[in-house]
Amino acid sequence: MNTNDIVAKLWSLCHVLRDDGITYQDYVNELSFLLFLKMMRETGQESELPEGYRWGDLESKDGVDQLAFYRAMLVHLGTEGSPRVQSVFADANTSLRQPKNLSKLVQNLDELDWYVAREEGLGDMYEGLLERNASEKKSGAGQYFTPRPLIECMVNCLRPQPGEAIQDPAAGTGGFLIAAHQYICEQTDDLFDLDADEQVFQKQQAYHAVELVHDTHRLLVMNCMLHGVGGHLISGDSMGSIGQNLPKADVILTNPPFGTKRGGGRPTRDDFTFVTGNKQLAFLQHIYRGLKPGGRAAVVLPDNVLFEEGTGARIRADLMDKCNLHTILRLPTGIFYAQGVKTNVLFFTRGNTDNGNTKKTWVYDLRTNMPAFGKRTPLAHEHFQEFEKCYGRKADGTSRPTDQGAEGRFRCFDRSAIGERGDNLDISWLKDDDATGADELPDPEEIASQIRERLSTALEEMDALSALLEGEEVEV
């Protein structure tokens, strides 16, 4: 049995949960409570749990008594135990209604090969479960899960270093922080190359994360714990006072949520120069304002951020003034939960001054003439290797090879040329071999006009038919 086998076994338990009326959306959250209790026992950390509320106490109960104890246990752990325990069980409750289903879950978790799980990494096991959940369209969890090959690419480019403050203001389940930590561990022999104070900083102070959705924050805390990532994991809104009070960062890696703020509201931040209800544009302001001089960022953003006029154009201009926006990676379509969403990664470095930092921007097109990614063609790190080569060996993107990358996918654009486009950064030049050329496509307004005309005709025909059925005379 290996990690994949254990993940498959855990996922099979969803049948037990569905029999109790628990939805895909709640599945991993529900299972995480039991997994946390079991893992604390397996890793010798049960001292963080109050006595009488541990795995053995739950396991010793039967039937209705076990379910009643479990419900009381979840409430108790939300206010007792270590701060980490309380953050996992804050406002916890269970949707389990049948004692036999809880008993089956406890039994199945006990029967897992925990020796193999520990040897191969409990963090990898848990993250495999999160990835499996995100790949299920029914769960809707893909919005919190950035593909791991993309995360690895972004981290490889920014090259986080020991002693740097690393932030994700829209952390989801913590993929960026975990990848950054693993990158640093690989460079420092699992931190053994660092002195005692540096190790303490790396384990307890280096990472700052904010996650708005409470249940997702629970998964974030547990995922980071199992990967040995400590730090400040906050449940709250980066677009409010919490985000405003975050310390300046050396590195920011993030994939902000798509869309507009619920109810049409706007961020409650008085430190933003440009007020907008577009969450991505608001997050972009938070990121480039939240970097230390020389700080680096890589952020996933949809296409509309690159071309939106008005406030969008002003924010892009401010970004290019305050930062060196040196690289844009145009991502393939279909790699996120919303198949039609077109996304990019913006790489930039905060300047020492607030003016004129962007001199030129390199754009790498990994979208045109790329395969349709999905279950049949999964996204892999190898798809980003040519881009990483073109990105160069320096974390701030200032070193570039002399060629333009595979198939001319890499091009450079001067700041003046971008200004002539109205600071529109939605730049493409490759022709899709399987698509009709842009000059052959009908004008969008013409298409809309045709639709309106056909709809009007159809409505007139329906009125005429209705009149005939009622015996009225109509003009034909």
Side-chain angles (χ1 to χ4, degrees):
M1 179 175 283
N2 56 28
T3 298
N4 291 334
D5 297 328
I6 295 173
V7 170
K9 178 69 173 177
L10 287 171
W11 189 254
S12 70
L13 298 179
C14 70
H15 299 299
V16 178
L17 292 164
R18 284 204 299 272
D19 288 343
D20 219 331
I22 295 172
T23 65
Y24 272 100
Q25 287 88 338
D26 294 331
Y27 164 57
V28 172
N29 195 57
E30 186 80 42
L31 187 59
S32 289
F33 297 137
L34 293 169
L35 275 173
F36 183 90
L37 295 170
K38 179 63 174 173
M39 288 177 178
M40 294 297 276
R41 177 172 180 171
E42 295 296 326
T43 56
Q45 300 180 71
E46 281 194 306
S47 59
E48 292 192 33
L49 297 165
E51 291 186 12
Y53 292 88
R54 299 172 180 177
W55 179 261
D57 301 302
L58 175 65
E59 193 178 25
S60 66
K61 306 273 190 305
D62 294 312
V64 174
D65 289 341
Q66 185 181 50
L67 182 56
F69 174 76
Y70 180 56
R71 287 171 175 162
M73 185 181 200
L74 295 180
V75 173
H76 187 75
L77 293 177
T79 56
E80 302 293 334
S82 70
R84 182 166 60 176
V85 169
Q86 292 184 41
S87 66
V88 169
F89 290 93
D91 299 320
N93 60 73
T94 180
S95 298
L96 287 166
R97 293 171 295 179
Q98 301 182 47
K100 65 177 183 179
N101 289 330
L102 175 60
S103 177
K104 190 171 183 179
L105 288 172
V106 171
Q107 179 182 346
N108 275 268
L109 288 177
D110 247 348
E111 292 173 353
L112 287 177
D113 191 335
W114 288 97
Y115 175 79
V116 171
R118 287 194 300 272
E119 287 296 303
E120 297 205 6
L122 293 173
D124 289 344
M125 181 202 72
Y126 190 67
E127 196 154 11
L129 182 64
L130 295 176
E131 187 169 14
R132 180 69 179 266
N133 190 47
S135 69
E136 289 287 338
K137 293 182 180 179
K138 294 178 182 178
S139 78
Q143 59 185 309
Y144 306 118
F145 198 93
T146 306
R148 291 304 175 246
L150 174 58
I151 289 178
E152 185 177 350
C153 168
M154 293 165 66
V155 170
N156 286 347
C157 289
L158 289 197
R159 303 173 184 266
Q161 299 299 308
E164 291 188 320
I166 301 169
Q167 182 195 127
D168 184 348
T173 55
F176 283 109
L177 300 184
I178 290 165
H181 180 71
Q182 291 173 337
Y183 180 92
I184 292 172
C185 286
E186 289 171 3
Q187 311 302 314
T188 59
D189 189 21
D190 283 334
L191 308 183
F192 286 114
D193 292 344
L194 308 180
D195 64 33
D197 290 341
E198 290 171 335
Q199 288 187 29
V200 169
F201 174 84
Q202 211 58 48
K203 292 177 180 179
Q204 301 178 12
Q205 301 171 30
Y207 303 102
H208 301 261
V210 181
E211 172 51 41
L212 175 63
V213 180
H214 189 74
D215 284 345
T216 306
H217 177 262
R218 196 190 317 277
L219 306 182
L220 162 70
V221 172
M222 186 162 171
N223 201 18
C224 286
M225 178 196 77
L226 294 173
H227 283 92
V229 176
H232 311 275
L233 310 178
I234 303 168
S235 176
D237 187 1
S238 291
M239 296 297 98
S241 59
I242 287 174
Q244 191 168 343
N245 293 325
L246 285 173
K248 300 287 185 182
D250 296 288
V251 173
I252 297 180
L253 291 147
T254 190
N255 178 8
F258 300 160
T260 56
K261 192 170 177 66
R262 291 177 183 175
R266 297 186 174 187
T268 55
R269 298 275 294 265
D270 57 15
D271 61 328
F272 286 171
T273 305
F274 308 99
V275 180
T276 174
N278 182 308
K279 284 193 288 190
Q280 301 87 50
L281 289 172
F283 266 100
L284 182 57
Q285 287 187 85
H286 165 84
I287 294 161
Y288 69 75
R289 295 176 67 91
L291 288 171
K292 298 177 183 178
R296 314 179 300 286
V299 52
V300 180
L301 293 168
D303 274 14
N304 73 282
V305 171
L306 302 186
F307 61 74
E308 185 169 308
E309 298 179 351
T311 301
R314 292 192 289 274
I315 290 173
R316 290 192 299 274
D318 194 42
L319 165 67
M320 288 185 282
D321 264 344
K322 290 182 169 63
C323 301
N324 177 17
L325 174 62
H326 51 77
T327 311
I328 297 174
L329 171 62
R330 291 170 62 84
L331 293 172
T333 57
I335 66 173
F336 290 102
Y337 71 108
Q339 293 296 308
V341 174
K342 296 180 179 179
T343 53
N344 315 267
V345 183
L346 273 60
F347 296 86
F348 49 88
T349 302
R350 181 68 191 243
N352 292 315
T353 66
D354 286 348
N355 294 295
N357 280 288
T358 300
K359 308 299 183 186
K360 57 186 178 181
T361 300
W362 289 80
V363 181
Y364 191 100
D365 188 343
L366 195 62
R367 181 181 304 169
T368 308
N369 296 322
M370 292 296 291
F373 291 104
K375 290 187 176 181
R376 291 186 178 181
T377 309
L379 186 70
H381 183 243
E382 64 190 46
H383 294 114
F384 295 100
Q385 288 178 346
E386 179 64 28
F387 165 71
E388 288 183 25
K389 177 182 175 183
C390 291
Y391 185 94
R393 296 181 179 179
K394 292 189 177 180
D396 60 2
T398 55
S399 64
R400 296 292 188 220
T402 55
D403 61 38
Q404 292 190 343
E407 304 171 14
R409 291 185 179 274
F410 204 38
R411 285 195 180 182
C412 183
F413 298 86
D414 290 336
R415 178 68 182 90
S416 58
I418 295 172
E420 291 173 0
R421 295 169 47 88
D423 289 335
N424 185 327
L425 295 168
D426 186 25
I427 303 170
S428 62
W429 59 93
L430 295 176
K431 183 176 180 180
D432 195 329
D433 294 340
D434 297 326
T436 305
D439 54 343
E440 300 172 11
L441 290 173
D443 181 76
E445 186 58 38
E446 180 182 343
I447 296 174
S449 177
Q450 292 175 0
I451 292 173
R452 287 193 293 267
E453 183 177 344
R454 291 179 183 178
L455 181 60
S456 177
T457 301
L459 290 172
E460 290 175 0
E461 291 174 351
M462 290 176 64
D463 289 340
L465 179 59
S466 177
L468 285 171
L469 291 174
E470 293 175 4
E472 299 179 9
E473 292 186 3
V474 297
E475 183 178 337
V476 296

